[in-house]
Amino acid sequence: MSYKAPSGTHVGHVHLRVADLDRAIAFYEGVLGFTLNLKYGDSAAFLGADGYHHHIGLNVWDSKGAGPPPPGHTGLYHTAFLYPDRAALVEVIERVMEAGIPFDGAAHHGVSTAVYLRDPDGNGVELYYDFPQSEWPKDAAGNLTMVNDRFSIPDYVAETKTLLASKTP
């Protein structure tokens, strides 16, 4: 039997096992800018954006002091955080660069632009923004045709700043 999730269904939050709660909070709050809404002693924390109670849950219940899972195993590929526009994406990219956190890559996908990195526990993180759906690439039959065009992050930041400066009165 075929089932489709009802309209309005979306991912509510991600809950991550981390090795060091304070280090994880420093990354998600201090670098990515999420608000720490609740902390349960030294075992769990909940962070959100735009007044939401939590988009990110962090805990050390089964992972305090643990290392990341080895490559080639199943598990979380990455958590993706959607930013409202190109300017907001560049702002968080700059915060990541200022924190000295390396990027794993960056790509234009036709529907979005994204950068990839790792949190302090080795979990994959995608920071991205979507283009308006009217601009998404489609083939002659109307099917979505996403791409994976790599780009230079420093060039993208510089280009964005130039574009934004030209729009400022």
Side-chain angles (χ1 to χ4, degrees):
M1 173 182 243
S2 178
Y3 171 77
K4 288 186 179 182
S7 178
T9 301
H10 63 277
V11 176
H13 70 271
V14 62
H15 200 120
L16 303 171
R17 289 183 297 213
V18 299
D20 181 317
L21 187 62
D22 290 332
R23 180 183 70 184
I25 291 168
F27 174 76
Y28 287 100
E29 181 183 36
V31 178
L32 298 189
F34 287 89
T35 300
L36 177 61
N37 292 319
L38 181 63
K39 186 174 178 191
Y40 286 119
D42 61 354
S43 68
F46 298 90
L47 299 94
D50 202 25
Y52 190 67
H53 56 86
H54 77 281
H55 291 103
I56 306 163
L58 306 169
N59 77 67
V60 295
W61 299 325
D62 297 318
S63 55
K64 190 169 190 163
H73 285 72
T74 59
L76 178 71
Y77 184 68
H78 68 236
T79 303
F81 298 105
L82 176 62
Y83 288 81
D85 54 36
R86 183 174 178 161
L89 178 62
V90 165
E91 185 175 356
V92 73
I93 287 171
E94 289 182 306
R95 292 184 57 78
V96 169
M97 290 188 308
E98 288 167 9
I101 299 167
F103 290 95
D104 291 342
H108 298 298
H109 297 299
V111 298
S112 64
T113 292
V115 298
Y116 302 91
L117 58 140
R118 303 242 163 234
D119 77 2
D121 290 285
N123 295 308
V125 175
E126 175 183 354
L127 309 174
Y128 75 106
Y129 86 97
D130 278 338
F131 305 149
Q133 285 190 6
S134 61
E135 296 176 14
W136 290 4
K138 296 184 178 174
D139 64 17
N143 299 309
L144 193 60
T145 56
M146 291 177 61
V147 297
N148 196 33
D149 297 334
R150 303 293 180 179
F151 66 88
S152 159
I153 295 171
D155 290 351
Y156 181 74
V157 169
E159 177 185 291
T160 300
K161 288 183 171 212
T162 300
L163 284 170
L164 294 173
S166 70
K167 292 180 181 181
T168 303

